[in-house]
Amino acid sequence: MTTADDNLDDLLQPAFAGRLMSHPLPKLRLPEHESPAATVQQLIREMLLLDGHARLNQATFVTTWMEPQAEELMAESFDKNMIDKDEYPATAEIERRCQQIVCDLFNGAPDEHPFAVSTVGSSEAVMLSGLVMKWYWRAREQAAGRPGDRPNLILGSNVQVVWEKFCRYWDVEPRYVPMARGRYVVTPELVTERCDGNTIGVVGILGTTFTGEYEPIEAIHDAVVAYNSANGTDIPVHVDAASGGFVAPFLQPELLWDFRLPNVRSINVSGHKYGLVYPGIGFAAWRSEQILPEDLIFRVNYLGGDMPTFTLNFSRPGNQVVGQYYNFLRLGRAGYTAVMQRLQQLAKGLAAGIEQMDGYDLVSDGSTIPVVAFSVAAHEEFTAYDVSAFLRQYGWQVPAYSMPADAEDVVVLRVVIREGFDGDLLESLLGHLRTAVEHLRRHPDLGFTRSGFSHT
């Protein structure tokens, strides 16, 4: 029921001349009475029409397509609480198997007893990995008679924002390695010159969100090992493999970035990116279970059994690990390799097409993870923001954004190639990029403005 005080802007108006409902519903407070399920379903469905089309969203790394069999299995598991391992032992076993598969994929040595936990995406995995680094460093400092109260973390200014959150939330000083025009990853020299006895760890990125490039993990690792040897420190390397952890093992299997490097102690990865699962699922992995401080593990028994937990979240549905396990069994190494090769082929095709166009300069070519970044040529009067806004007319969501600190004058567009993107869409996107140049040259004063963008 509506009242005289209700503003029309605060009401859900019935569509189809009121055939579905006789009166509007309030948007910002609970209605007084129930409504038919079909009516509410239709109302919300109409609202969602304003969302962009997921298949044309080239901004996000997050999976937007899965096989119907996986969707069915996941829908059947929405109501299972992952934390309640006593009540849902089969789901708990699926989670355990996924964790072990991730450890094996990252070349954990069985005799070191590698350990992993599933998380709600890489953001939680980052927080847990950072906490372990801080606890490990603090225990070592206190054992040596030092206070352990001024921790710092070495990371590039190109990191995903969750690392900034970790440092702020857990009172760790971030020591950023700045970027520079033409260099959008860290170098070993710039990393070690920022290290000292209070450094809890060094973060290397396997697939940056800005350009998709791999940082030189092996070289960073070797430089940190040399620094530790020379200075009596024990600084570990953490690899943020949110984007590349399910790509490199299949496209670049010989690349050394994981637990084959002895001082890589932890890795985070997103299952809902190139793990090919709907959000949100991720994993944090450690080369040995002995690295985890006992103080960070909680045990509860009020759900029916003794359950050790190492998570920031508690209750969450079991459907994501079910979806991840489906992909692991369904695809195997050969299947994941075929998917990644196809996505990389499309990314390289897009990069080659952009490189041939007058009006754009290629920044990254998709040869690492299937991501292509490019900028507008310096001689053009329009900007990358203009191109991004122009493409939206055709349904494309291609973000434009400035690069990190000390390279902020460089503005790029980025295209993430995911499952669901095909050759026809590739040709269509290239055609619209070409049309954008032609149109914006004729109309350089369209006045498009910058829109917010989040690196996800």
Side-chain angles (χ1 to χ4, degrees), residues 204-217:
I205 309 173
L206 193 75
T208 75
T209 56
F210 286 89
T211 63
E213 296 171 273
Y214 293 161
E215 294 195 316
I217 304 297

Side-chain angles (χ1 to χ4, degrees), residues 169-188:
Y169 293 171
W170 273 276
D171 197 22
V172 174
E173 176 197 352
R175 292 188 176 176
Y176 292 113
V177 175
M179 302 295 107
R181 178 181 279 271
R183 178 186 58 77
Y184 307 116
V185 296
V186 304
T187 67

Side-chain angles (χ1 to χ4, degrees), residues 7-301:
N7 187 307
L8 288 179
D9 290 339
D10 294 332
L11 298 174
L12 289 168
Q13 301 294 322
F16 308 114
R19 296 186 189 192
L20 296 179
M21 51 193 294
S22 59
H23 57 270
L25 294 177
K27 296 179 184 176
L28 307 178
R29 57 182 174 81
L30 280 174
E32 294 298 322
H33 304 288
E34 297 179 8
S35 296
T39 298
V40 174
Q41 180 189 44
Q42 184 65 30
L43 272 174
I44 295 175
R45 182 173 285 153
E46 296 293 326
M47 291 173 59
L48 294 174
L49 288 175
L50 296 176
D51 278 346
H53 196 294
R55 289 277 297 279
L56 300 181
N57 180 5
Q58 306 312 131
T60 183
F61 285 80
V62 173
T63 296
T64 54
W65 179 87
M66 290 184 74
E67 291 180 324
Q69 294 87 348
E71 291 182 342
E72 290 178 20
L73 284 170
M74 293 177 72
E76 293 165 5
S77 304
F78 275 122
D79 60 345
K80 295 181 179 180
N81 187 0
M82 270 278 299
I83 198 67
D84 195 348
K85 294 173 173 40
D86 192 61
E87 184 68 23
Y88 306 113
T91 303
E93 174 62 13
I94 285 174
E95 179 190 29
R96 188 189 71 82
R97 292 179 186 182
C98 286
Q99 293 163 350
Q100 291 302 115
I101 289 170
V102 168
C103 289
D104 179 71
L105 188 65
F106 296 164
N107 290 290
D111 60 336
E112 290 190 87
H113 304 288
F115 177 80
V117 296
S118 71
T119 60
V120 183
S122 249
S123 293
E124 183 184 7
V126 161
M127 294 287 183
L128 296 176
S129 301
L131 280 172
V132 170
M133 285 189 280
K134 181 177 178 180
W135 252 248
Y136 184 90
W137 166 83
R138 187 173 62 185
R140 188 170 183 271
E141 289 294 289
Q142 291 175 347
R146 295 185 288 267
D149 60 352
R150 297 174 60 191
N152 66 69
L153 181 67
I154 314 301
L155 59 172
S157 62
N158 57 343
V159 292
Q160 214 266 0
V161 68
V162 66
W163 285 105
E164 300 177 45
K165 288 183 178 180
F166 164 75
C167 290
R168 188 176 303 177
Y169 293 171
W170 273 276
D171 197 22
V172 174
E173 176 197 352
R175 292 188 176 176
Y176 292 113
V177 175
M179 302 295 107
R181 178 181 279 271
R183 178 186 58 77
Y184 307 116
V185 296
V186 304
T187 67
E189 298 77 19
L190 292 173
V191 165
T192 53
E193 69 184 28
R194 287 165 171 75
C195 292
D196 61 24
N198 289 333
T199 300
I200 66 172
V202 167
V203 177
I205 309 173
L206 193 75
T208 75
T209 56
F210 286 89
T211 63
E213 296 171 273
Y214 293 161
E215 294 195 316
I217 304 297
E218 183 180 11
I220 292 168
H221 168 274
D222 292 348
V224 173
V225 169
Y227 181 93
N228 285 338
S229 178
N231 295 276
T233 51
D234 187 24
I235 300 169
V237 173
H238 173 87
V239 180
D240 183 344
S243 301
F246 284 123
V247 177
F250 309 110
L251 291 185
Q252 302 94 11
E254 302 306 317
L255 182 70
L256 293 178
W257 64 273
D258 53 17
F259 293 137
R260 288 169 291 179
L261 299 173
N263 199 38
V264 169
R265 299 201 196 149
S266 54
I267 299 169
N268 67 277
V269 67
S270 282
H272 62 226
K273 293 182 180 177
Y274 288 109
L276 309 179
V277 181
Y278 291 139
I281 177 73
F283 298 90
W286 290 268
R287 72 177 308 110
S288 171
E289 61 185 4
Q290 296 178 352
I291 293 173
L292 269 68
E294 182 65 27
D295 290 346
L296 290 178
I297 299 174
F298 288 81
R299 287 176 167 80
V300 298
N301 64 8

Side-chain angles (χ1 to χ4, degrees), residues 355-410:
E355 195 168 29
Q356 293 169 8
M357 290 185 202
D358 180 35
Y360 301 113
D361 292 327
L362 201 61
V363 175
S364 63
D365 64 359
S367 59
T368 50
I369 62 175
V371 169
V372 176
F374 56 102
S375 60
V376 170
H379 63 265
E380 301 290 354
E381 294 185 30
F382 58 89
T383 70
Y385 299 106
D386 296 327
V387 175
S388 179
F390 181 85
L391 291 174
R392 281 185 177 270
Q393 299 177 72
Y394 298 95
W396 296 107
Q397 298 173 60
V398 177
Y401 52 91
S402 59
M403 297 300 279
D406 295 301
E408 293 132 317
D409 58 325
V410 179

